Structures are given as C-alpha cells and as structure tokens.
Amino acid sequence: MRTTRKTAIALGVAQLLACTTTAAAQADPQTTQDQAGQPGAPAAGASVVVVSGQRAALQSAQQLKKNADEVVDSIVAADIGKLPDRSVTEVLQRIPGITIDRQMSRGDPEHFSVEGSGVTVRGLTYVRSELNGRDSFSANGGRSLNFEDVPPELMAGVDVYKNPSAEQIEGGISGLINLRTALPFDFKGAHAALSVEAMHSTLKKGKPDPSGSIMFSNRWKTPLGEWGVLVDLASSESGTRTDAFQVEPYYPRSDVVSGKTVWIPKGAQWRTLDFDRKRQGAYAALQWKLDNNLRSHLTYFKSKYRMNWGEQAFFASSSPYDIRVTDATYDRNGALLTGTLTDPVNNGIPFGDAARAATRRSSTTDIAWNVEWKPASDWTLTSDLQRVKAVTNGFDSTVGLGVLMPRERLDLRADLPQLVFDAADKAYLANPANYYWGSTMEHLDSSSAIEKAWKGDVKYAFDHPLLRDVRFGVRLTERSALTRNSDPSYNWTAITQPWQVGWDILKPAYLGDPRFAGAAVVNAFPNFFNGKVSVPAIVFPDLSLASGYPSTYEALHKFHDILCAERLAAQGGGGCTPWKAATFGGDNPSGTNDQSERTKAFYTQLRFGVDDWRWPVDGNLGVRYVKTDSHSRGYLSFTPTTPNLPANYRYTGVPFPTIPAFARALDYENGYHNLLPSLNLRLKASDTLQFRLAYGTSMSRPDFSQLQAYTTLSQDVSGQLNDATQVLNITNVSRTGTASGNPLLKPITSRQLDLTAEWYFAQAGSLTLAVFGKRLNDVIIDQSTIYRLPDTTGKQQDFIVTSPVNGARGTVKGFEVGYQQYYDGLPGWLRGLGVQANYTYVDSRRKLYTPVYSAYCSGGSTGLDNVNLNMNGCDIDGRSFGDLPLPYLSKNTYNFTLLYDRGPWSARLAWSWRSKNFMSTTSNGTRGSDGTDTNPASATAGQHNVAWGLPLWADAYGQLDGGVSYSVNERIKIDLQAQNLTDAKYRQLMTQHIGDKGRAWFVTGPRYSIRLGYSFF
C-alpha cells in the first residue's frame, strides 16, 4: 500500500481552482505541486466537489484541517485575490487561538492600528512566518513578518500549524503561519482575473482610496516539456483617521482634602492622527515539468509597504503636585470623579501640543528555486534554494508648542471622559499668541536583513501495510541583520521652556512676538469621535515643520539663540549651546546592531498507518537536530567616577579598585544546538470522526534586537570630605552597567502536548475541540546579571548589569472549540444560511528563576536597571503590584460569523472579540520618576523621588465586519465590504491600587468599500 502525505500546503494548492469555478471538476494529480519542496500531494484520482465562492473556501479549509498530518487551521481565498479581509493580520484573527494587537507596535500603545499589527498564537508571541513553506521575515529586528505589510490580494490561503513535526523548519513555539500563493499548474489552462476597489473612511472622509489587482496564468506543452507562467500584481491604498482621549495617571495627594488621601490626575488630553498607507505586491512563477519524474519551479515575490502619518496631540506637561482641585467629588477609593483643575503656582496648567510626522518604507523580496526528481517510483529527491532580503527605513519627527491652560473641568464618571470649557477658556486656547515654541524631537532608523537558505529532502515510499514513507533532509542557512538607529534614538531638545527662564533665556519664544510668529495652524477637531464629543480648538505647529527636518529644526532653534543672546547681553556670564542633530549612520556603536547567524539542521521522519484496524491509526514520528552559530559585532565601554582628591589628602573607608577607563569594539560568538523530537498520531473512529494526539519539543531563537552587543559599565565612588583632617572617607562604591542586549542568549524551548477531537459531519460542517499545553524554559526577561572586569592588579571585579537574560519558565494551557455549518434543511431562501464560530481559552503562568519582588519600590530610575518595576510594576504611592500575566495574552477570545450563500448571493457578518490583556509596565505616559515614597522604613519617606510604572492593559474589544457579494455572471462579481460597523471604541486601562482606571480611548469609525472583480477565462 502506497500513500502520499496530505499537508495543508499541498491540499491548499490542489483546491485553489475549486474556489474559482462553478462546476464539479476532477483534480489533476500530475499538476498538483508542493511548494518549497514540501513533500506530499493529494492522492491520485482524488475528486473535489466544487462549490463557488465563500462556501467553497470554507469547504476547502475544512478539508485541509481534516487531512493534514498536524493540527492545522486554514483560511482559503474565496476567489483569486480575495481573502475575506483587507489585511492578512485581520484574516488571521478569524482563526481559533489567534489574536492581533490593535496598537501600531508593541512598544507604542499610544497609536491605534486600524488593520491590526502583532499576532499572538495561543497566548504566545513566538510566531514563525513562512511564504510557501519557506522562511520569510521583515527587517524589524525580529524573526517574523509584519503581516500587515503583505498584500492579501496575492494570497491563495493561509495555514496555521499549531504543533511541530520534524520536517518543519524550527523556530515557532507559538505556531507557524504559512502564507500560500498559487503556481501555474494549479490551473487547468489559461486564467486571468482583474479587480478594482474603492474604500471610504467615515471618520476621515475625503476621496475614496483605490485598490486593484491583476493576475494572469497559462500553461503550454512543448517538446521540452510543459511550461507554465503566472504573474500577479496588487496595489492597495488606505487612508484612515484615529481620534483619542487620554487621562493621566492618578497621583496620591494628602494636601487637597484635610485628613484624607485622594487621587488626582494631572490632566486629560486628546489627539487626532491621519494615517495613509500604500501596500504593493508583485508575484511571478515559472513552472516546468518534463514528465511525472522531473519538475521545477522558480518564484519571485516582493511586497512593498509605505506608511505616512501626521498627528496633532495635546497633552498635560504639568507638575502633579502643583495641581489644585475645586468642586470635586471622589469615589469610595478616593479617586477623582468630577472637579476643576487649576495650577496657581505656574499661573496656569502647563500643557504641550505637538505636530508629529512619521514615515516608513519597507520591502521584502523572496526569490526561490525548487526542483523535484523521482529517480525511481519509490524515491523522491527535492532541492530548494532561497534568498530573502528585507529592508526598512523610518523617520519620526515632532515639533511642539507650550501653553498655560487656565483651567480644566473633568467629569470621569462615564465610559468616555467629558471635558468642560467656558467661552473664555476656548478663546484663550484658540489664540496663537498664548503659545510658545517648546521642543523638537527626531528619530531615524534603517534596517536590512538577508537570508540565504538551501534545503534538500529525500523521501522513500514503502510498499508495506504499516510503514508509508521515511523522509530525511538537511537545511543550511546564512543570515545577517543590520539595524541603525539615531543616537540619541529619540533626540528630544528644548527650544524654549519655562524651566530655562533666568539662567538660559529671559522668556519663552511666544508666537505673539512677531519674530517668532507664523507656521502655526488652528485645529478645531471637526467630527471628533464621529461628532459624539466636543473639544476646544488648539493651535499646533504646521506639519511641514516636522517633515522639513533638518532645515526647519535649525530655523526653530535659532529662536532660542536669539533669546539666549538677549539674556547674555542683559546678565552676562555663560554661553548659548547650539542645537545639535542626532547622530545617524557612520561610526555610531550605540545606535548599531550588527548580527550574523548560521544554522545547520538535519531531520528524519517516519510516516506510518494501519488501515485494517477497527479504528485506523496513522501518524508520524521524527526528530530534528539544529545547530546555531551567531556572531555579534558590539561595543564595550567603562567610565569610572572618582571624587577629585586635593593635594596632600588621602582616602579612607571603603576600598575601591582602579580600573582604567576604556571604550573598544568587542565581538561575541555564541553557539547552541537543539534536539527536537515530535510525534503526531491520528485515530479515525469513523469517516467523519477522528482524534489526534501530538507531542513535540520546539524552540524560538531570541530576536536580533535582543542580541545587540552594546554594554556600558561605570564605577561610582562617593564619600565625605573632611578638610580638617584632609581625609576623604569613601562611604559607597557601586559598579553597575546597562546592556542594550545580550549576545549570549539561548533560545526559548518548549515541550507541548495537543489533543483534538474532530467531527466532520458535512462538506462544510464540523465541530472540533483542541486541548493544548506548553511548558516553556529559558523565557527571556530583563534582569540583573554579573559582568566581570579585571582591575590593575588582575583581580576580577563584579558589575551588576541589567540586560535580557534567560530568566524564567512558564506554562500555557487552554482549549479551542470550533463549529461551522450551513443549514441546508431550512426552507426557501433561508437554505443558504450558515454559521462559523470558535472560542479559545488560554491561561498562563510565569516563574522567575531568581524571583524579584519587593513590597515597596525604590530608586528613581525608570530604566531596565529597576528590575522590581519592570517585573512587577509600581504604583505612584511606591507600592508594588506583582503577579502579572504574560503580555498580550487574552484569556478568552471568540469569533462568530453569520454566513449566507445561495445562488449569485454571498454574505457574511463577522464579530471578533478578545478579553482584556496585559501590555507593559514601562509604557510611555504611564511611568515616571516622581512617585511618593510611602515605605515607612525608608530614609526618604514622604518625598516624591520613587520611579513608578503602572501595568497597562488593552481592555476587552470587539469589532463587527461584514460584506455582501453578487455574481452578475460567471465572470463578473460585485462586492460590498464594511469594517467596524458598530464604530467600536478601543480602550486601555491602567492598574493602580485604587482600581483599574481608564487611560485611553480610540475610535476610527466605520469603513466601507466596493469591489468589482472580472475573470477573463
């Protein structure tokens, strides 16, 4: 008995045509190709009942899941170039166990992403991405794709592998996401399709954004064999707007209400952001087949992503302990509910506003060549060669103004903050003369990553009642990653600030001064929150000042030079420091991360099956061995700080070593190997009911951003000088350091178990359950470690350095339930109704190898060296939190989709929801260094000198999307799509000891699009 393996990749390609025709067809076993040399294909003669459109796509995806060797979930394009959503990221959130982030990046919670960003699989972020079974990535310092960069119009389907097998490329503890494209032989002959689309945002308004795609494929038989060519091009534009409210963290105040501590934010603020992106893609495939024994294909894939956004943000920059409150009410925990904020100390509440312009250009180019040869009927040899190059360049520029707000009336009782301003306050805020030029901040970055990979596979097929085939192969890779950031990374520089008055300038550069007027605009925030909220008009710098860097920065900072020169003329003394741009490129070790990596992998896998048992069993057993060698080019510097000892004085007290200052390049070599066994079993209780058991070991390498080899060390010596005895008594010697990364990190490893029950009661009907558990080791966290340097005597001295370390273990467990069905028994037009639904529960635990917890926070640093703050979070009253879950993990997620397919009509209404999830304790806006020390044992109790960082959470969020399509005839189809039909608000929460408080609210409004598709043959 001889059986080929049915993988998601092979079956997906085989069924692509089934989704784009309207009659039954017989699959051609000679034209079904595995991409990237993945072995196996649908059995010869397998027939596919073809159903058109959405129902056919669900049917195909169900067959992929049923017949794959591993635990797989898939989404298949309903038509050529038509996945069910406008981005790959949004497509992925429909799959059980997958959630997507709604902020632009995981390090930037203050900006919403309309199409989604980071992907989490079963509660973990260690996701590996593939294109046609090959490694694929973006130049983002990580190891996977930015899925929002990839044109969905080029995709034939998406597969998510949730457990490993030996022949899979290593690297994805969470799961493996494979994006599939088509090959020419997937079609029986010539095929061409064209689509055009226009999208409209109700919040941004303006003209519609265009999108379009065109695909052509054909095949020819020649004396040199059969040839096929496929070309697919896509372009998509999207313009959206996001409006946001924010409330500042609540500060404990004992000087506002007599005999009571109340908690008061230092202000509330708002912003709006216009976002424009253009996503382009090109895919081409050349395929050749001499006969059934020799075939090959060459593919080219390129995705390009261009993003521009402009933001106008108004934010509190006040001192929280100068704020006074009148007409206040508080909740039972003492948190402010309503009240009017003023600042008599500064004659107004200091606020800042900013015009911010950001751009990014990214691309990924993949070229691959695959050859398959069958020297004999039992043997299959495959060679696969690939080169991937990814690049990205970013620019981020902010120009800010300052103003003293007379007062701010807050009402925080409702879900959305309410702000009240009288007519005089509104007029004051709309007057440019009340604003001064405040600051500039620039950031630049560029990254490139290149990988060359070769994979060779051999398969021997048995003619045996138990053994089906044995596979073995090797994979060799060479990868480099270079990232350059400006230094400082975000170079904030004051123009004129109130705290400069007296010693540097005599007054700020107000726009009311004719010398500093102009280049400012008034934003009245029209249609804010879709007209549901009214906020005052604010004066902002023109966006051209932000985008015109560096010349506009030079002009703005001359305002400071003018005022500084006036101060020198009036007071004398000192000088004026000119503006200095951030360093970018060249010899800039702190801003450069240069990595290279080589891997060598070998696997062997045995497939087996017994069909004559009462309950047939099949599966695979294998092991993968991989050796990783990495090289990090870095930099190490040491700076001693020793008190100046006057002549004839001497030291006493704590001895301190002598270590000369130095700065030098320092490279690091790292190597490790991993043995990854796996077992996949399937038991068929009937033709429609089956069960799976899967066990495996997997690994995820550290991101390249975590491997940066830049470390700064310092030795600080402090003491007391006694002039009478001419003695400097040394009281303290500290040796510390900070590392941007850790080039000696090991991979995170995991042992995982999956159990599934799958009932396929109809061609597009199923009920499935999956239970899973993972045990993680060597989870990477930021913690202190020891770095040693020799002193002048040769003795090794210990430095406490904060850096990423393999410092924790963790567990993840949960289950998934999925159901889909068309109710064909309903009468009349109702017969086309169907439902697709899934629910996922995930729970996690993390345990540090070296526990870090202190009931009270200490120290004024908000950096990585404050380990208690980073691990546990600290409130503004100096108390720790602790027991925080793994980030970006929602315990509960579900999708519910109402389907309709009958005749020429197809429709869906899809609701996607995820529960609250933890983000970070060190996010911008919810951290600071002015917390109150309430530790009774502290020598500084009562002072405002404690660093704090609040746990920030994304609140539960659900979004309703929908669409209707109508097939005019076999060639023409019209689609109407809608996203965010309910105008959902995305909310963030900050945890304090007075409870979870609202931090931010974002709205983007509904979006609508119309698409016309035409098939030529």
Side-chain angles (χ1 to χ4, degrees), residues 549-572:
Y549 171 89
S551 60
T552 53
Y553 277 38
E554 293 171 349
L556 289 170
H557 283 279
K558 286 180 181 177
F559 297 166
H560 164 267
D561 298 343
I562 292 171
L563 293 172
C564 184
E566 290 180 353
R567 194 267 309 166
L568 283 175
Q571 298 178 348

Side-chain angles (χ1 to χ4, degrees), residues 280-537:
Q280 296 176 299
Y283 171 68
L286 175 66
Q287 198 168 8
W288 170 77
K289 179 177 67 173
L290 180 64
D291 51 33
N292 290 336
N293 298 321
L294 182 61
R295 61 186 67 192
S296 178
H297 62 264
L298 178 69
T299 59
Y300 170 87
F301 181 92
K302 187 178 186 70
S303 66
K304 296 171 63 177
Y305 183 85
R306 186 185 71 194
M307 174 273 290
N308 300 282
W309 56 264
E311 180 185 47
Q312 293 177 317
F314 188 61
F315 50 88
S317 56
S318 50
S319 170
Y321 303 105
D322 292 339
I323 297 293
R324 295 294 178 263
V325 188
T326 56
D327 304 322
T329 62
Y330 303 90
D331 67 14
R332 62 181 181 179
N333 294 320
L336 182 73
L337 292 176
T338 62
T340 301
L341 308 185
T342 58
D343 186 345
V345 176
N346 297 288
N347 298 316
I349 307 172
F351 264 72
D353 72 44
R356 185 173 180 181
T359 63
R360 180 158 299 281
R361 305 288 186 270
S362 303
S363 69
T364 296
T365 306
D366 181 298
I367 301 174
W369 178 34
N370 178 270
V371 178
E372 181 186 292
W373 177 43
K374 294 183 178 181
S377 61
D378 299 334
W379 290 91
T380 303
L381 282 68
T382 306
S383 171
D384 197 79
L385 186 64
Q386 178 198 23
R387 183 183 187 272
V388 185
K389 181 178 182 180
V391 297
T392 186
N393 295 278
F395 170 66
D396 191 346
S397 173
T398 303
V399 175
L401 295 173
V403 67
L404 294 174
M405 179 188 286
R407 65 191 57 82
E408 186 175 39
R409 174 72 181 175
L410 302 181
D411 186 343
L412 306 175
R413 293 173 296 181
D415 174 62
L416 194 65
Q418 299 296 314
L419 309 181
V420 180
F421 296 90
D422 61 26
D425 294 337
K426 292 179 181 178
Y428 180 91
L429 291 173
N431 185 355
N434 296 319
Y435 292 76
Y436 58 87
W437 294 103
S439 63
T440 61
M441 182 174 68
E442 75 272 24
H443 165 82
L444 300 95
D445 67 74
S446 67
S447 299
S448 63
I450 299 175
E451 181 179 88
K452 301 173 185 176
W454 176 78
K455 184 163 69 82
D457 299 279
V458 178
K459 181 178 73 174
Y460 177 75
F462 296 102
D463 187 3
H464 191 275
L466 174 62
L467 304 179
R468 296 194 171 169
D469 62 60
V470 63
R471 304 156 185 230
F472 51 91
V474 298
R475 182 173 184 265
L476 308 175
T477 72
E478 182 179 290
R479 183 167 175 176
S480 62
L482 175 64
T483 299
R484 297 185 187 275
N485 282 285
S486 51
D487 182 23
S489 182
Y490 285 85
N491 183 35
W492 186 92
T493 309
I495 301 175
T496 60
Q497 293 286 335
W499 47 264
Q500 294 173 283
V501 173
W503 64 271
D504 189 38
I505 56 177
L506 295 178
K507 61 181 180 179
Y510 275 91
L511 276 68
D513 187 327
R515 297 174 297 173
F516 313 129
V521 296
V522 178
N523 186 351
F525 293 93
N527 196 37
F528 195 66
F529 270 65
N530 263 322
K532 299 175 183 176
V533 177
S534 176
V535 294

Side-chain angles (χ1 to χ4, degrees), residues 613-820:
W613 287 1
R614 178 183 176 186
W615 293 335
V617 174
D618 61 12
N620 62 67
L621 173 66
V623 63
R624 186 178 189 89
Y625 170 82
V626 59
K627 178 71 169 67
T628 305
D629 294 293
S630 63
H631 180 83
S632 303
R633 283 159 283 278
Y635 202 79
L636 175 68
S637 67
F638 168 71
T639 304
T641 302
T642 305
N644 291 325
L645 192 65
N648 301 321
Y649 279 57
R650 60 188 176 87
Y651 292 113
T652 63
V654 179
F656 61 92
T658 300
I659 307 175
F662 68 87
R664 64 171 179 262
L666 186 63
D667 293 356
Y668 294 84
E669 304 286 344
N670 190 18
Y672 46 84
H673 56 87
N674 297 88
L675 195 66
L676 308 172
S678 62
L679 171 67
N680 289 275
L681 293 173
R682 178 175 60 171
L683 183 148
K684 297 181 180 179
S686 68
D687 290 339
T688 60
L689 179 64
Q690 64 186 31
F691 301 89
R692 297 181 190 269
L693 182 150
Y695 174 82
T697 300
S698 57
M699 54 92 84
S700 287
R701 297 182 181 91
D703 285 343
F704 290 113
S705 59
Q706 296 173 312
L707 296 170
Q708 184 173 359
Y710 181 79
T711 304
T712 57
L713 305 175
S714 62
Q715 177 177 267
D716 294 316
V717 179
S718 58
Q720 296 177 340
L721 185 65
N722 188 325
D723 291 321
T725 61
Q726 295 187 326
V727 169
L728 177 59
N729 183 44
I730 303 301
T731 57
N732 184 66
V733 178
S734 63
R735 288 180 291 276
T736 59
T738 300
S740 300
N742 182 353
L744 301 181
L745 286 172
K746 298 182 294 183
I748 305 166
T749 59
S750 172
R751 292 176 294 160
Q752 49 201 73
L753 179 68
D754 291 79
L755 298 169
T756 77
E758 304 165 14
W759 179 32
Y760 302 99
F761 52 82
Q763 288 184 323
S766 61
L767 177 64
T768 62
L769 169 68
V771 180
F772 58 87
K774 301 176 189 283
R775 291 185 178 272
L776 283 70
N777 290 303
D778 293 332
V779 176
I780 298 172
I781 61 173
D782 291 318
Q783 205 170 60
S784 296
T785 186
I786 299 297
Y787 194 102
R788 290 186 169 87
L789 276 184
D791 59 23
T792 53
T793 68
K795 182 179 179 181
Q796 295 289 334
Q797 300 293 334
D798 291 345
F799 289 75
I800 300 175
V801 176
T802 303
S803 70
V805 298
N806 297 103
R809 61 177 59 91
T811 59
V812 176
K813 57 186 177 182
F815 64 89
E816 301 165 350
V817 180
Y819 166 73
Q820 68 179 31

